[in-house]
């Protein structure tokens, strides 16, 4: 559930932020081409609609961005924990909105240091969001090289103990049992990982196959690289 909500809030967040950015784009177009557009009834009407939606309601898109940002963060944190690229983008968004609120309260003119900072941060946020969206796919694409799991490249799987999913479920980290998780055919020991205390970690349970979940995670398989491989799935 958290995964689906996190994804939904994430894309709504992007839409809200694009709405705030369109404020600058539309005002630029209006300044440079208003006379040419006004020569055409359709162009004049379209520009009026766009100015009404994105320029006059600029602050509401900003507030929506903050609310969706918080909702996205809560959902993602509950599922995957802290993500560095997401946190950086979130911090910049908050600074951007606070800067806009400050300028609005102080009736600041659209010029000077604050306005330059406002524009620069907007560009940096776009870059940060792009990085945040690209990195998980890059990690997962990397993990598909070779046999589909880089972590198994240096492992002799023929010497590993085999587990069925039913046998794996007994290693749930509860009642003194060890905590194991499976990923792309390999079984990892998470018993001594503090985040897996009592066999659970952000909604995930030990004794299960996490291949699908980790493939969608912002962290990818990198979270498993220092863990001990204790077996393989039959």
């Amino acid at each position: 559930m958290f995964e689906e909500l996190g994804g939904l809030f994430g894309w709504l967040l992007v839409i809200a932020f694009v709405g705030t950015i369109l404020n600058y784009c539309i005002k630029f177009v209006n300044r440079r081409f208003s006379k040419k557009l006004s020569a055409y009834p359709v162009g004049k009407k379209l520009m009026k609609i766009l100015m009404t939606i994105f320029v006059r309601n600029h602050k509401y898109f900003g507030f929506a961005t903050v609310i969706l940002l918080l909702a996205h963060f809560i959902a993602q944190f509950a599922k995957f924990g802290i993500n560095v690229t997401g946190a950086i983008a979130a911090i910049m968004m908050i600074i951007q909105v606070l800067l806009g609120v400050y300028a609005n309260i102080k009736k600041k003119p659209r010029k000077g240091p604050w306005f330059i900072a406002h524009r620069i941060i907007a560009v940096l946020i776009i870059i940060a969001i792009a990085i945040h969206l690209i990195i998980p796919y890059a990690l997962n694409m990397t993990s598909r090289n070779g046999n589909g799991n880089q972590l198994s490249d240096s492992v002799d799987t023929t010497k590993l103990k085999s587990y069925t999913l039913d046998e794996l479920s007994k290693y749930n980290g509860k009642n003194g049992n060890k905590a194991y998780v499976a990923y792309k055919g390999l079984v990892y020991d998470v018993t001594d990982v503090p985040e897996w205390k009592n066999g659970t970690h952000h909604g995930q349970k030990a004794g299960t196959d996490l291949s699908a979940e980790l493939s969608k995670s912002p962290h990818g398989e990198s979270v498993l690289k220092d863990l001990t491989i204790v077996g393989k799935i039959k």
Side-chain angles (χ1 to χ4, degrees), residues 206-221:
T208 61
D209 189 334
L210 301 181
S211 299
E213 288 77 5
L214 277 180
S215 295
K216 298 174 183 177
S217 166
H219 309 290
E221 69 176 28

Side-chain angles (χ1 to χ4, degrees), residues 42-60:
V42 175
K44 184 177 181 179
K45 185 175 181 180
L46 178 61
M47 183 54 64
K48 183 178 180 180
I49 292 173
L50 292 176
M51 289 286 287
T52 300
I53 295 174
F54 296 106
V55 177
R56 293 183 182 178
N57 296 309
H58 175 64
K59 61 182 179 181
Y60 298 115

